[in-house]
Amino acid sequence: MPYELYYWPGIQGRGEFVRLALEEAGAEYVDVARGPHGVSAMMRLMESAARPSFAPPFLKDGETVVGQTAAILLYLGARHGLAPKDPEGGLWTHQIQLTIGDFVAEAHDTHHPIASGLYYEDQKEEALRRAEDFRTNRIPKYLGWFETILARNPHGDARLVGRALTYADLSLFQVVEGLSYAFPMAMRRALRNAPRVASLHAAVAARPRIAAYLASERRVPFNEEGIFRRYPELDG
Amino acid sequence: MPYELYYWPGIQGRGEFVRLALEEAGAEYVDVARGPHGVSAMMRLMESAARPSFAPPFLKDGETVVGQTAAILLYLGARHGLAPKDPEGGLWTHQIQLTIGDFVAEAHDTHHPIASGLYYEDQKEEALRRAEDFRTNRIPKYLGWFETILARNPHGDARLVGRALTYADLSLFQVVEGLSYAFPMAMRRALRNAPRVASLHAAVAARPRIAAYLASERRVPFNEEGIFRRYPELDG
């Protein structure tokens, strides 16, 4: 039975971290909310599940429903060889994913610093201030941390954890991709100081299943409804 | 060997979620950064660890170092009976914790909507706007979700998951406690519509080990340096 992924259609958003893991694993899945009546099916499941998620994405695997991006990846990673088998390596991979999640939330808040329920235009002044801090302080700090942990990986600096690809590598690819879309100037500068992060990003993009996915219609293009938005006034 | 907890001294912050789990478990631990030279020991470990955390809190258990609050609780929950043993129940507990983590990050951003590196006074106008949305929309939405999952627990509405106390119950206690400190008026209103959440909060506070801890000097009082700050202008 294929997995069922539930996430807002029309954007990559947090669902994309799950899609990348499913695609790299070659797992069968249905992107339910992108199909006919998919959004109402999603809302119904969110309303009525015995263990309802607070928000999409969530993944249905038979009778099991798992929400929260990092928890979904913890679940999938163990099933599809996208995380080390030893408990300590698995937990470290998860810790990295949680830090990526924090980074993603901060990226979102650059265009929505006041309220996710308001339009960007209604919080643009605040967004200008928040984005400046994000570009100046937060992007370099996060990329510096990823660079450090790549450099310290005893199995080589091509992967975040161990020798084999993990879902954390896929997620770091996605963050770099998204931020390069949203903040092209700031990211060009920042990646100069994070060559290992840049290499990992390129290596993930070149993996056969990921490359095929990125070229397919299953990959929603970036746009100004998602987490990573190109508002030129926020870059610099 | 006792656990070593590393977190900023002087505030409860995210470290408090770990402390509550350790206290309820009756586990031996040293709150390293509150001891002599503790902050420099913490900074040194953050700089030099093979697997450095992006930020405190992190927990050292022998040679294992785990960072990210939710990952630390995942680790401790399994070791101290603060999470169900079945994998699905364990993952659901973790999913709830991750949602609590999102709520906590939003609570923090009510007083720091622009940059965590700036003073509150330098982002007060923005804080007024963000706090209003948080009080009006976000607190009721999160408490409503906790109320729902308590009501749907097949083992009774006294616990978030199963029949026994989990770290998620402890964390929900802490969020309610913190928000009641920061937003006393808004929380009084919101808890009227979330009676199960209010009962769980009271029940956790009355547990012998938690009550003893809360009355001890180990519990740092709430203050205006932490995540939950009482700025009367942000309540209403």
Side-chain angles (χ1 to χ4, degrees):
Chain A
M1 194 155 56
Y3 291 110
E4 293 179 5
L5 170 65
Y6 291 83
Y7 193 65
W8 302 113
I11 61 169
Q12 293 181 19
R14 288 182 171 81
E16 197 64 14
F17 297 93
V18 182
R19 288 193 194 100
L20 286 168
L22 292 167
E23 294 281 346
E24 174 62 29
E28 271 191 80
Y29 70 102
V30 182
D31 209 332
V32 178
R34 293 175 70 185
H37 310 294
V39 172
S40 32
M42 177 169 89
M43 299 316 280
R44 220 162 31 237
L45 194 54
M46 254 176 74
E47 284 298 313
S48 66
R51 292 173 167 178
S53 291
F54 182 75
F58 50 91
L59 186 80
K60 198 162 177 298
D61 179 16
E63 290 307 299
T64 303
V65 182
V66 188
Q68 280 281 355
T69 309
I72 300 171
L73 292 172
L74 187 66
Y75 182 82
L76 289 175
R79 268 160 194 74
H80 294 282
L82 288 172
K85 283 200 194 315
D86 69 293
E88 227 177 300
L91 198 61
W92 172 233
T93 309
H94 190 54
Q95 179 180 339
I96 296 169
Q97 182 64 45
L98 291 171
T99 306
I100 291 173
D102 291 343
F103 194 15
V104 169
E106 293 189 30
H108 169 271
D109 282 7
T110 57
H111 49 78
H112 276 76
I114 299 301
S116 49
L118 292 176
Y119 289 111
Y120 167 61
E121 287 68 26
D122 296 326
Q123 48 196 313
K124 197 167 159 179
E125 286 310 309
E126 295 91 341
L128 288 167
R129 283 192 79 191
R130 178 140 188 168
E132 188 192 350
D133 179 73
F134 185 70
R135 290 193 317 267
T136 312
N137 297 311
R138 305 305 286 171
I139 289 180
K141 182 166 172 164
Y142 276 106
L143 292 195
W145 184 73
F146 294 121
E147 190 70 13
T148 298
I149 63 175
L150 282 167
R152 289 194 194 159
N153 182 352
H155 299 284
D157 63 3
R159 299 279 180 265
L160 287 162
V161 185
R163 211 179 304 273
L165 185 93
T166 64
Y167 63 78
D169 295 316
L170 298 171
S171 295
L172 183 54
F173 156 79
Q174 173 65 9
V175 169
V176 171
E177 189 77 3
L179 290 174
S180 297
Y181 172 79
F183 301 97
M185 290 196 283
M187 278 300 280
R188 212 157 25 235
R189 277 197 310 278
L191 283 171
R192 258 185 243 133
N193 297 317
R196 292 175 180 88
V197 174
S199 296
L200 172 61
H201 170 262
V204 169
R207 292 179 74 84
R209 284 175 172 166
I210 298 297
Y213 167 64
L214 296 177
S216 77
E217 290 199 346
R218 298 192 301 286
R219 173 81 162 180
V220 182
F222 285 113
N223 60 49
E224 280 56 60
E225 306 289 323
I227 291 174
F228 302 109
R229 305 187 184 188
R230 181 172 288 174
Y231 293 135
E233 63 274 20
L234 300 187
D235 193 16
Chain B
M1 194 154 56
Y3 292 110
E4 292 179 6
L5 171 65
Y6 291 82
Y7 193 66
W8 303 113
I11 62 168
Q12 293 182 18
R14 287 181 173 81
E16 197 64 15
F17 297 93
V18 181
R19 288 192 194 100
L20 286 167
L22 292 166
E23 294 281 346
E24 174 62 30
E28 271 190 80
Y29 70 101
V30 183
D31 209 332
V32 178
R34 293 176 70 186
H37 312 294
V39 172
S40 33
M42 176 169 89
M43 300 317 279
R44 221 163 32 238
L45 193 54
M46 253 175 76
E47 284 297 314
S48 67
R51 293 175 167 176
S53 291
F54 183 75
F58 50 91
L59 185 79
K60 198 163 177 296
D61 179 17
E63 289 309 299
T64 303
V65 182
V66 189
Q68 281 280 357
T69 310
I72 301 170
L73 292 172
L74 187 66
Y75 182 82
L76 289 176
R79 268 161 193 73
H80 294 282
L82 288 173
K85 283 199 195 314
D86 69 293
E88 226 178 300
L91 199 60
W92 171 233
T93 308
H94 191 53
Q95 179 180 336
I96 297 169
Q97 182 64 42
L98 291 171
T99 306
I100 291 173
D102 291 344
F103 195 16
V104 169
E106 293 189 29
H108 169 271
D109 282 7
T110 58
H111 49 79
H112 276 75
I114 299 301
S116 49
L118 291 177
Y119 289 111
Y120 167 61
E121 287 69 25
D122 296 326
Q123 47 196 313
K124 196 167 159 179
E125 286 309 309
E126 295 92 341
L128 288 167
R129 282 192 80 190
R130 178 142 188 167
E132 188 192 351
D133 179 73
F134 184 71
R135 291 193 317 266
T136 312
N137 297 312
R138 305 305 286 171
I139 289 180
K141 183 169 171 163
Y142 277 105
L143 291 196
W145 184 72
F146 294 120
E147 190 71 13
T148 298
I149 63 176
L150 283 167
R152 289 194 195 159
N153 182 351
H155 299 284
D157 63 1
R159 299 279 180 264
L160 287 163
V161 185
R163 212 181 303 275
L165 186 93
T166 65
Y167 63 78
D169 296 316
L170 297 171
S171 294
L172 183 55
F173 157 79
Q174 173 66 7
V175 169
V176 170
E177 188 78 2
L179 290 174
S180 298
Y181 172 79
F183 301 98
M185 288 195 285
M187 279 299 281
R188 213 160 20 237
R189 276 197 309 278
L191 284 171
R192 257 184 245 133
N193 297 316
R196 292 175 180 88
V197 174
S199 295
L200 172 60
H201 170 262
V204 169
R207 292 179 72 84
R209 283 173 173 168
I210 298 296
Y213 167 64
L214 297 176
S216 77
E217 290 198 345
R218 299 192 302 286
R219 172 83 162 180
V220 183
F222 285 113
N223 60 49
E224 281 55 60
E225 306 288 323
I227 292 175
F228 302 110
R229 304 187 184 187
R230 181 171 289 174
Y231 293 135
E233 62 274 21
L234 300 186
D235 193 16

